[in-house]
Amino acid sequence: MMLYLGIDFGTSGARAIVINNLEDIQFEINCLFTENQSNNLVYTWENTLNQLLDNIPKNLGQEIAAIAINGTSSTVLLCDQLGNPIDDPIWYNDARGKIVLENIKKIAPKDHLVCSATSSLAKLFWWVQTPLFKQGYYFLHQADWLGFLLHGKLGISDYHNALKLGYDVENLCYPNWLLNLPIAAILPQVLPPGAAIATVKSDIIKRFNFNPNCVVCTGTTDSIAAFLASGVNQPGEAVTSLGSTLVLKLLSQRPVNDSSSGIYSHRLGDLWLTGGASNTGGAVLKQFFNSQELEKLSKQIDINKTTNLNYYPLLKPGERFPINDPNLSPNLEPKPDNYVIFLQGLLESMAKIEALGYQKLQQLGATPVTQVYTAGGGAKNPTWTKIREQYLNVPVSISPQTEAAYGTALLAKRSRLC
């Protein structure tokens, strides 16, 4: 029996899931970072990785054929010749790169994805301006470095993590405008996600009783891993995440990019994962209803009678997708006295925004949506699902799996099939 291990590193902890050839979960474990640990990220990550591996039953460890790790997109490290971080890692949402943005805009194509204060390239440019940069030999993403701890090979990344570093995912190479810079020497080699790198190191085999033939693969980002968990693999299939915000991800035959609306495409083999995020979503609902009220009132909605309430539910002004307007004001009027009708109006309006989002992707050249899977807390609301089906005009169902660690385990499994 062959097993596959996926590991997901987030902002507050990490999770590991082991699956078999039938993609059934055989084991899973979650480890939260403690407040004291989080003060030393490098130690925390390494210690947590070891803790996850140590808790995998020894009989399962002997059967693991491949491992893959995902990390938060654009969380990066500058390392020395031996792979030791020479400074604290920079988190994905750290915007210190804003002070070097003008330098990046002078060399990168107009409106390129790297022209963001939180891009991986902006963080590298920030390091270039510090004395520490002279000690740097390798620039790695979180998933790259964690994988290195298992396989021992430095300077290897995947094209999901490398997208915000400036890697050209259409032509599968670094662009000349990036290669002509002095920093080119420390850029990682980029491979497809899930590509086999090397077998696990001997000390890992001995310490955790792993199969000596177990292969460590290139990883991916946490958001793409969560998408992979859904099992979506056909153009036109999509995943809508109904969390605090509304996030759309569509598998397309063609890439779609519109920087003004926050739309960009990740490569998935010969297909493309594109989408966008709206500021509407569950956070707006929680402003008016608690969980118990949402459940109770949703059951009273008559989906056969529309409210004709045309809201644009936002917590504060500003929207990027599917409408790009930083000054767009929330529209929550008129507010009926009947809370059932008010909730229905909110759910209908969010469904319209979701439908408009997929329409916009199609207008930009993406494959038309044919099926939507749902992740996030809103997936548990069957009334909302039926309302969304009416506006999307395609089947809507709950995603069978949503854990990023599960998606990363699938990535590891696919590496053994290539």
Side-chain angles (χ1 to χ4, degrees), residues 114-162:
V114 298
C115 298
S116 163
T118 58
S119 73
S120 298
L121 188 63
K123 290 160 186 164
L124 176 53
F125 267 52
W126 182 86
W127 258 317
V128 168
Q129 297 189 338
T130 70
L132 284 172
F133 183 73
K134 294 180 180 179
Q135 304 173 38
Y137 274 80
Y138 298 100
F139 181 75
L140 301 173
H141 299 88
Q142 182 184 32
D144 308 336
W145 186 76
L146 290 165
F148 153 71
L149 296 180
L150 300 184
H151 56 64
K153 307 293 183 182
L154 275 165
I156 299 175
S157 188
D158 64 89
Y159 59 59
H160 289 163
N161 276 293

Side-chain angles (χ1 to χ4, degrees), residues 3 23 28 67 90 113 192 204 228 308 324 336 351:
L3 301 177
E23 301 179 357
E28 55 186 312
I67 303 172
I90 302 179
L113 192 61
I204 298 294
L228 294 174
N308 294 318
N324 178 27

Side-chain angles (χ1 to χ4, degrees), residues 145-207:
W145 186 76
L146 290 165
F148 153 71
L149 296 180
L150 300 184
H151 56 64
K153 307 293 183 182
L154 275 165
I156 299 175
S157 188
D158 64 89
Y159 59 59
H160 289 163
N161 276 293
L163 182 67
K164 294 179 182 178
L165 183 55
Y167 187 78
D168 184 344
V169 292
E170 291 196 53
N171 297 301
L172 297 178
C173 63
Y174 284 111
N176 288 331
W177 61 263
L178 197 51
L179 290 176
N180 291 333
L181 300 176
I183 60 170
I186 70 169
L187 297 177
Q189 175 189 0
V190 179
L191 301 175
I197 299 174
T199 54
V200 289
K201 297 189 302 179
S202 57
D203 60 319
I204 298 294
I205 295 170
K206 184 177 180 180
R207 178 173 178 179

